[in-house]
Amino acid sequence: MTETTNARKIAFATFVRRALDDARALRAWSGTEVSRRTGVSRQTINRWVRGDWASDPEAERVVAFCEGLGLDPAAAFTALGWDRTAGPRTAPPPPPMDPDVEALLRRLVDPNVSDAEKFHIRETIRYLAYRPTLPGGVRNRGKQAG
């Protein structure tokens, strides 16, 4: 574990512990009540307090925890070291699609292609998608050297 990761865990654990202490002192809420009002399980909250998590907490759970306690989620994001000004992370673009697959997809949505032809395209795709994979030796048996 890197020092940065450890520091983030300690900072977030401190944030959660203080939030729980305030909930107990100001509102007389138990751990079960905090869990009920935030929608975050007691087990998850306990892991956060201990800093016992392998990957970052889900942002939705952090927001739910903060909103349930009347706290600004930005404080939790800061404790986690998340830069919320950078905007949402976008998923990488999908890999390029094979041109033949693209052509089949276009035919499936083309209103000028008959239902019968679309049926045959789908059946062929299903057959290819779910056919058993042959072992490597069997696949190359028909090829001859030279």
Side-chain angles (χ1 to χ4, degrees):
M1 180 182 328
T2 66
E3 285 183 39
T4 305
T5 303
N6 196 31
R8 289 173 55 243
K9 286 184 176 189
I10 292 169
F12 187 62
T14 302
F15 170 82
V16 173
R17 196 173 302 113
R18 285 184 183 150
L20 292 173
D21 289 345
D22 288 348
R24 286 185 191 108
L26 300 175
R27 300 181 178 125
W29 288 355
S30 65
T32 302
E33 185 65 15
V34 169
S35 179
R36 188 183 72 75
R37 291 187 182 254
T38 63
V40 179
S41 73
R42 288 185 66 184
Q43 294 85 358
T44 297
I45 294 170
N46 288 334
R47 278 199 321 274
W48 291 351
V49 168
R50 291 189 314 266
D52 182 21
W53 34 275
S55 59
D56 280 358
E58 294 174 18
E60 296 81 18
R61 286 188 180 176
V62 174
V63 169
F65 177 79
C66 291
E67 288 178 350
L69 296 176
L71 303 172
D72 182 6
F77 295 157
T78 300
L80 286 164
W82 293 349
D83 180 11
R84 302 314 281 181
T85 59
R89 296 179 190 159
T90 57
M97 190 177 295
D98 184 280
D100 293 330
V101 174
E102 283 182 2
L104 286 172
L105 292 174
R106 280 193 303 275
R107 291 184 67 82
L108 285 172
V109 296
D110 186 345
N112 298 321
V113 175
S114 71
D115 287 342
E117 187 171 350
K118 290 178 182 181
F119 172 81
H120 289 295
I121 292 170
R122 284 188 186 99
E123 287 299 307
T124 302
I125 291 171
R126 269 189 209 102
Y127 166 75
L128 293 171
Y130 300 110
R131 72 182 178 153
T133 306
L134 298 173
V138 174
R139 208 176 308 140
N140 296 328
R141 194 177 292 158
K143 297 180 182 178
Q144 294 180 0

